[in-house]
Amino acid sequence: MNKIITFISALMFSLAASAQTVDGSWTGKLDVMGTQLNIVFNITKTDGGAFACTLDSPDQGVEGMPAEITVTDGVKVKISVAAIMAAYEGELKDGMLKGTFTQSGMSFPLDMKPGGVERNRPQTPSEPYPYATEEVTFTNTADNAVLCGTLTYPVGYEKMEKSNVPVVVMVTGSGQQNRDEEVFGHKPFLVLADHLARNGIASLRYDDRGVGKSTGDTDEMTTETNMKDALAAVDFARQTGKFGSVGVLGHSEGGAIAFMLGARGKAGFIVSMAGPGVSGKDILLAQNRMGLTQSGVPADITDGFCKVLDKVFDVMASGEKVSQPTMKVTEIAMQTGVTLPELLVQELAKSLGKSTPWLRYFVGYDPSADIRAVKCPVMAVNGSKDVQVIAADNLAAIRRLLPVNAKNMVKEYPALNHLFQHCATGQPTEYAQIEETVSPEVMQDIADWINRAVSK
């Protein structure tokens, strides 16, 4: 009897092994200089037997990057990803794809298991909510942009005196984002809207142009056009007649937009979450300097790179059309007396060659005048480990520039990153791996401050 059981078990194992297939999603972790990066290959097989593949890098916000795949003997794969000059060779063994990932001449062992990356986001609220929400649409007539969003009413709104209910318009950071400012499975604006609703505060969040149901010209988008979209949201919230004070909460670039609207007298109060207090050029220079330093690039090369980058940004801001970016960067380096490795020259040339209307406007924009002109109450916050908008530089500038107002609050939170998550290093590679979406302390401070700021 024991021999029969053993034989049947062996047969079942054999059948299971022969049924293994490479199609499906496969996930593995790359160890790059101590940083763990999740890589996902999505392999599909058509009815005709042909294979196709895409790559996801969830920790870097990359989804669906095209890849070429060859499958041999049903279990051996060769994958190439031209966009990032990467390749993977592996073989299906014991239910795992075991192989090697190569990129830019470097090789890394990479064993992959079936399935995608599952993220736990415990702060994300789920329906049914204890408050009402409404799908709304409004228009920036100046630019013919139609924006769609969600109006969230506070808990118990129907029993409140409407003139006492503040409403805050939420403005996302740079890049086209949805109304939740979703990134790496985190939905910061949804989490924040939920928290505000439970603290007596209404909110309006909306999809940026070209995202979701929102429409409008995206090719010529700048911080100024984004400000006009936010102004349309403010006007809409005010024209509903359902609320009292209308404020603006902006994250990152959205913080700059909040100050722009405040300077124009369009906001009853402002919350700047990691908003800039210095010029866009200074912010990007600080980002690059910190990134190079933390990557171990020698100080003299870092200094030289930043000197050249400073002048490259000036060229961008001027609107000068550059037909030969490599030659232009080389010329700038010679004029500044800097010698750079060819790789860094090419990186600078690539940036110069791909400058967009948004980037040209951003590097030339200095928020100082707008911050000085704000007369409404301001709450400006930053995380001490923010590596994108450096807290020390930007909060100091905001403190110096803001007109005196007893209701103003400027605060730096220890151990928080650009997304206001508790973190170890503050690097963007951590964002996806952290379960927390927004620090509860920050959210409560925002709710308490808004309620104080609008009180008589």
Side-chain angles (χ1 to χ4, degrees):
M1 186 67 171
N2 287 339
K3 290 183 179 180
I4 294 175
I5 292 174
T6 301
F7 173 75
I8 292 174
S9 297
L11 177 61
M12 290 175 67
F13 178 81
S14 177
L15 289 172
S18 65
Q20 287 185 329
T21 176
V22 297
D23 57 309
S25 292
W26 297 87
T27 301
K29 286 183 182 288
L30 276 180
D31 189 337
V32 183
M33 298 177 65
T35 298
Q36 299 285 318
L37 289 177
N38 282 288
I39 298 294
V40 181
F41 287 121
N42 304 297
I43 303 173
T44 56
K45 187 177 182 181
T46 67
D47 293 338
F51 287 92
C53 182
T54 61
L55 176 143
D56 298 340
S57 181
D59 299 333
Q60 297 173 305
V62 175
E63 290 186 5
M65 184 177 289
E68 296 291 331
I69 183 171
T70 301
V71 179
T72 306
D73 299 330
V75 293
K76 298 178 180 179
V77 300
K78 287 186 177 182
I79 300 171
S80 62
V81 191
I84 56 173
M85 296 182 290
Y88 177 74
E89 287 193 32
E91 183 174 355
L92 186 58
K93 295 179 180 178
D94 302 325
M96 300 274 288
L97 271 179
K98 300 184 178 183
T100 302
F101 184 93
T102 58
Q103 185 177 27
S104 302
M106 295 184 290
S107 297
F108 309 90
L110 182 60
D111 293 344
M112 314 190 77
K113 62 182 181 181
V117 176
E118 295 184 8
R119 301 294 194 191
N120 185 29
R121 302 292 180 246
Q123 287 178 293
T124 302
S126 57
E127 298 185 70
Y129 306 129
Y131 47 79
T133 63
E134 180 184 354
E135 189 80 4
V136 298
T137 301
F138 51 92
T139 303
N140 167 6
T141 54
D143 291 343
N144 195 31
V146 178
L147 294 311
C148 297
T150 300
L151 187 60
T152 300
Y153 297 86
V155 174
Y157 172 79
E158 61 280 356
K159 297 178 181 179
M160 293 178 172
E161 174 59 48
K162 307 306 181 274
S163 62
N164 293 333
V165 178
V167 59
V168 59
V169 172
M170 298 185 179
V171 186
T172 66
S174 58
Q176 292 165 261
Q177 296 174 282
N178 68 20
R179 67 191 68 184
D180 298 328
E181 205 187 30
E182 186 169 358
V183 58
F184 306 123
H186 289 292
K187 299 180 179 181
F189 279 7
L190 172 60
V191 171
L192 187 52
D194 177 82
H195 187 82
L196 295 178
R198 296 170 191 270
N199 284 269
I201 302 165
S203 63
L204 171 59
R205 62 191 198 276
Y206 58 93
D207 298 327
D208 293 341
R209 297 184 191 189
V211 179
K213 297 178 182 178
S214 292
T215 62
D217 180 12
T218 57
D219 292 337
E220 298 299 319
M221 284 173 56
T222 66
T223 303
E224 184 174 13
T225 62
N226 292 338
M227 181 271 291
K228 292 177 182 178
D229 289 346
L231 176 57
V234 169
D235 288 342
F236 172 81
R238 186 169 285 123
Q239 290 162 8
T240 64
K242 297 179 178 180
F243 310 104
S245 184
V246 181
V248 180
L249 178 151
H251 178 234
S252 198
E253 182 197 22
I257 290 170
F259 284 122
M260 293 168 87
L261 292 173
R264 289 159 176 77
K266 299 297 185 180
F269 58 90
I270 287 172
V271 179
S272 168
M273 300 182 68
V278 300
S279 70
K281 180 173 82 167
D282 287 342
I283 285 174
L284 295 179
L285 284 170
Q287 284 182 11
N288 279 272
R289 180 175 293 278
M290 180 176 286
L292 290 169
T293 299
Q294 293 181 344
S295 297
V297 176
D300 59 333
I301 295 179
T302 296
D303 288 342
F305 179 87
C306 290
K307 285 180 182 177
V308 177
L309 181 60
D310 186 305
K311 302 302 181 184
V312 167
F313 283 151
D314 288 342
V315 172
M316 288 183 184
S318 73
E320 176 185 341
K321 295 188 182 300
V322 179
S323 58
Q324 296 181 299
T326 300
M327 185 178 295
K328 185 68 176 181
V329 170
T330 302
E331 175 187 321
I332 291 171
M334 290 179 63
Q335 291 172 348
T336 53
V338 172
T339 301
L340 290 176
E342 181 62 23
L343 180 63
L344 293 183
V345 170
Q346 291 305 318
E347 284 299 314
L348 288 167
K350 191 186 303 181
S351 298
L352 182 58
K354 292 183 177 180
S355 66
T356 62
W358 181 88
L359 184 58
R360 289 194 292 273
Y361 184 96
F362 185 73
V363 297
Y365 173 67
D366 186 335
S368 299
D370 285 328
I371 296 173
R372 285 194 185 98
V374 172
K375 292 183 173 60
C376 65
V378 172
M379 177 182 185
V381 295
N382 225 145
S384 68
K385 292 194 174 182
D386 189 336
V387 299
Q388 293 182 252
V389 178
I390 311 301
D393 299 340
N394 291 275
L395 287 184
I398 291 171
R399 282 192 185 96
R400 185 182 72 253
L401 296 166
L402 266 182
V404 176
N405 187 319
K407 292 185 176 180
N408 286 350
M409 174 181 173
V410 180
K411 183 175 181 179
E412 179 178 332
Y413 292 84
L416 298 188
N417 62 20
H418 188 61
L419 300 187
F420 292 87
Q421 302 167 304
H422 288 89
C423 63
T425 68
Q427 292 297 324
T429 50
E430 287 184 318
Y431 297 167
Q433 299 165 11
I434 299 171
E435 290 189 357
E436 181 180 67
T437 296
V438 185
S439 161
E441 178 191 1
V442 173
M443 291 196 292
Q444 192 58 50
D445 280 355
I446 290 172
D448 291 344
W449 180 84
I450 290 174
N451 284 321
R452 288 197 305 271
V454 301
S455 64
K456 303 301 184 188

